[in-house]
Amino acid sequence: MTYLLQQLLNGLQLGSIYALIALGYTMVYGILQMINFAHGDLFMVGAFALFVAASVLGLPFVPSLLLAMIATAAIGVLIERLAYRPLRSAPRVSAIITALGVGLFLENLVNALSPYPKHVPTLLSNHSWVLAGVTISSIQIWIIVLAGILVLGLDLLVHRTKVGMAMRAISWDRTTAPLMGVPVNAVISLTFGIGAALGAAAGVFYALAYPIIDPYMGVMVGWKAFISAVVGGIGSIRGAVLGGLILGAVEILVAAFLPSTGRDLVAFALLLVLLVLRPHGILGRPRPVKA
Amino acid sequence: MNAPFLQIRDLEVAYGRICAVRGISLEIAEGEIVTLIGANGAGKTTILRAISGMVPYTGSIVFGGMDLHGVPAHRRVALGIAHVPEGRGIFSNLTVAENLSLATWGRRDRLGIKADLARVHALFPRLAERAPQMAGTLSGGEQQMLSVGRALMSRSKLLLLDEPSMGLSPILVRDIFRVLREINATGTTILLVEQNAHLALQLAGRAWVLQNGRVELTGPAAALAGDPRVREAYLGG
Ligand SMILES: Nc1ncnc2c1ncn2[C@@H]1O[C@H](COP(=O)(O)OP(=O)(O)OP(=O)(O)O)[C@@H](O)[C@H]1O
Ligand SMILES: [Mg+2]
């Protein structure tokens, strides 16, 4: 029983990271109906930005986190502006291929700048406590609490503010939104920026837990987060969080109780089964047809 | 001499190789109600889209003395142009209240917004009743009310309306036209596109009749309503 609880706690930590990345996929899909396949690599960029902030600039944890989020947000905005915006009315497959290309570009750029894996310095002292037989570490608490705050903040932004309203309006009808005075391009840029910043936060948290980072770390994690977004219902903020938590828990439990080589197999099998049962994901709704 | 409120010169709009508007000039004075009538495909919607900045055009559109060339659609709203688009353009995934609130984007005058919301609710009590409901669940007529109400929330000086009577029952059409008269009485200039030429010519002071992207006839609405060519083509003989 305590073993199960322990694994669920570890699953919550991993799931929080997936959830943060999944939010970026789901936000961009929500607003542009486009899958930003470069998003997993922004997670990696976030981890490297943390490395630069902490190791090169010598900043402490919180400023390093903020710097990583801001720098990655700027890169996310730039990618949209330079690579995706010119293709906005092109066939969707062009945008997907471009996104894959941008991802490869980011991986190779970082690889060129940093050919060897990097070790992120220890930024947080790691205490652990044992509660009812379950070991909980201070890094785990940081990750889960900060991820929770970011998720809640985003949910409030999207559902309770005018900017969020504008994002939802653009998602429904991008051509009519300007007639409300909404600067559509600026809101789309902001969406990419926020998604990238959340992905960067995930990269930072990941590097806290697994401090060896390399330019390809975003590939598999990115796929898992993408699966999370789809499982939860792509386009749905709450679905992305739910999907991330489910995937994190499933993965850790599979690794704990089955041969660990089955981990990714189960993740992808989950995607396939769910897509058959619920093509729109758990919280996703089929898009109503526009009148 | 005062610059006209809205002045359009040699407007041309093409969609790819299709020329929808072929050199139209018109002027509207502040406080007027003007209507554009014409057969399907005559270019009425396209003219409104050019004014609100939804399509690229050649020629000039000057609003309140300012040439709108290169001004993006969302900035034109801030300048005072509201457009009720063809087919309503309701955001079905937002509530009724959110649809109205979104149209106040960029406004900071909380009290003014509150007063405008009260005015819209007074004009269309149904929208107050349905405030928390998803806009996509409204009936067609209610969506039309929302679309007009939304345009009023931006405190526009010029209101562009594209077939506000489309799909509405005669009673609702009458209500909407009554509201348009009230809005105009408070100082809003109206450019109305209508299939219902009867009603449009009753409401408007002046009218333009378009055909194939060109102006066919223009003059006081009352005179056009009596013109045999208009009677035959648009008023059913
Ligand atoms: N997006 C578009 N792409 C290509 N052609 C278009 C587009 N929109 C309009 N057109 C063409 O431009 C011409 C004018 O269209 P417009 O919508 O302005 O007509 P309208 O006078 O509003 O007609 P209706 O009374 O049917 O609404 C038509 O021939 C139409 O087929
Ligand atoms: Mg039309």
Side-chain angles (χ1 to χ4, degrees):
Chain A
M1 187 60 203
T2 53
Y3 183 64
L4 181 67
L5 278 179
Q6 182 73 59
Q7 297 310 319
L8 281 176
L9 179 68
N10 298 344
L12 184 59
Q13 173 188 333
L14 184 62
S16 307
I17 289 171
Y18 287 155
L20 284 177
I21 309 171
L23 285 171
Y25 283 106
T26 225
M27 286 176 76
V28 166
Y29 183 84
I31 204 157
L32 288 181
Q33 285 78 54
M34 168 200 162
I35 309 286
N36 178 13
F37 279 116
H39 186 61
D41 297 299
L42 288 172
F43 156 87
M44 172 275 293
V45 168
F48 274 84
L50 174 78
F51 173 79
V52 171
S55 199
V56 181
L57 305 178
L59 297 174
F61 174 62
V62 172
S64 296
L65 169 67
L66 292 177
L67 191 73
M69 289 175 74
I70 292 168
T72 311
I75 294 172
V77 170
L78 204 67
I79 289 172
E80 188 275 328
R81 184 72 193 78
L82 297 180
Y84 302 156
R85 194 174 298 178
L87 294 174
R88 213 178 271 165
S89 46
R92 203 154 304 169
V93 66
S94 319
I96 290 180
I97 291 169
T98 303
L100 289 167
V102 169
L104 291 172
F105 171 79
L106 288 175
E107 287 162 23
N108 286 292
L109 180 69
V110 174
N111 195 35
L113 295 173
S114 156
Y116 304 107
K118 289 280 188 286
H119 193 286
V120 174
T122 310
L123 289 167
L124 296 171
S125 57
N126 200 2
H127 303 287
S128 22
W129 298 272
V130 180
L131 276 175
V134 176
T135 308
I136 180 161
S137 73
S138 54
I139 285 186
Q140 259 171 339
I141 295 177
W142 272 103
I143 291 177
I144 293 167
V145 169
L146 284 179
I149 291 173
L150 289 172
V151 165
L152 283 180
L154 180 74
D155 197 66
L156 286 179
L157 178 85
V158 170
H159 293 107
R160 294 274 178 274
T161 70
K162 224 154 170 174
V163 171
M165 227 183 257
M167 289 174 176
R168 286 178 287 139
I170 293 170
S171 137
W172 181 260
D173 184 352
R174 205 193 309 154
T175 54
T176 304
L179 297 183
M180 307 296 111
V182 172
V184 170
N185 283 331
V187 174
I188 289 175
S189 290
L190 182 74
T191 305
F192 271 85
I194 292 174
L198 295 176
V204 167
F205 298 159
Y206 196 85
L208 289 181
Y210 315 96
I212 310 286
I213 60 173
D214 72 81
Y216 303 99
M217 64 188 278
V219 177
M220 206 51 172
V221 174
W223 279 113
K224 304 275 182 62
F226 172 62
I227 293 173
S228 306
V230 174
V231 164
I234 193 146
S236 158
I237 301 281
R238 289 165 201 182
V241 175
L242 185 66
L245 295 180
I246 290 176
L247 205 74
V250 166
E251 240 183 59
I252 296 279
L253 292 178
V254 168
F257 294 103
L258 298 174
S260 68
T261 45
R263 212 173 71 162
D264 296 344
L265 177 67
V266 170
F268 291 110
L270 180 72
L271 172 75
L272 294 178
V273 170
L274 196 109
L275 283 182
V276 172
L277 298 179
R278 280 194 68 95
H280 298 284
I282 298 172
L283 295 184
R285 262 166 296 167
R287 197 177 168 80
V289 181
K290 276 178 214 172
Chain B
M1 206 193 95
N2 265 354
F5 186 63
L6 179 74
Q7 181 176 51
I8 298 178
R9 281 244 173 97
D10 305 322
L11 182 71
E12 289 187 21
V13 183
Y15 298 101
R17 303 222 308 275
I18 302 164
C19 289
V21 173
R22 307 152 184 262
I24 281 186
S25 299
L26 58 85
E27 283 180 11
I28 301 179
E30 188 158 17
E32 267 194 298
I33 302 183
V34 167
T35 185
L36 293 178
I37 56 181
N40 294 120
K44 308 178 295 293
T45 296
T46 305
I47 293 176
L48 298 193
R49 285 192 184 141
I51 298 172
S52 63
M54 295 173 81
V55 290
Y57 56 85
T58 61
S60 76
I61 300 176
V62 176
F63 176 65
M66 176 179 176
D67 190 338
L68 296 182
H69 189 80
V71 178
H74 66 91
R75 300 254 347 275
R76 296 185 188 201
V77 178
L79 293 175
I81 299 176
H83 183 170
V84 176
E86 190 169 39
R88 306 181 186 119
I90 291 302
F91 299 108
S92 300
N93 60 338
L94 267 55
T95 65
V96 170
E98 285 176 331
N99 267 277
L100 292 174
S101 160
L102 187 65
T104 64
W105 183 277
R107 283 181 65 179
R108 292 283 171 272
D109 53 325
R110 277 170 177 276
L111 290 177
I113 292 175
K114 233 176 146 183
D116 287 350
L117 185 63
R119 178 172 73 139
V120 169
H121 282 166
L123 292 173
F124 301 114
R126 188 59 68 85
L127 295 183
E129 288 164 33
R130 298 283 193 267
Q133 196 168 313
M134 282 296 157
T137 65
L138 294 180
S139 78
E142 290 164 348
Q143 292 191 13
Q144 192 69 62
M145 294 178 200
L146 180 56
S147 188
V148 174
R150 211 170 54 171
L152 301 183
M153 294 301 292
S154 66
R155 268 241 172 137
S156 58
K157 299 180 201 135
L158 172 64
L159 181 56
L160 311 173
L161 294 139
D162 202 340
E163 305 202 19
S165 74
M166 177 125 84
L168 300 190
S169 72
I171 296 182
L172 266 176
V173 172
R174 216 187 47 205
D175 283 354
I176 295 244
F177 274 69
R178 177 180 52 77
V179 167
L180 295 183
R181 206 167 261 129
E182 286 175 36
I183 295 165
N184 177 248
T186 66
T188 305
T189 308
I190 293 179
L191 177 53
L192 171 70
V193 165
E194 252 306 334
Q195 285 296 333
N196 189 333
H198 255 300
L199 269 177
L201 290 173
Q202 268 175 36
L203 181 74
R206 290 191 302 140
W208 266 266
V209 180
L210 302 182
Q211 182 149 20
N212 281 327
R214 292 203 175 84
V215 176
E216 171 104 332
L217 286 171
T218 171
L224 286 184
D227 188 299
R229 287 166 295 179
V230 175
R231 295 185 73 88
E232 183 169 349
Y234 306 109
L235 298 175

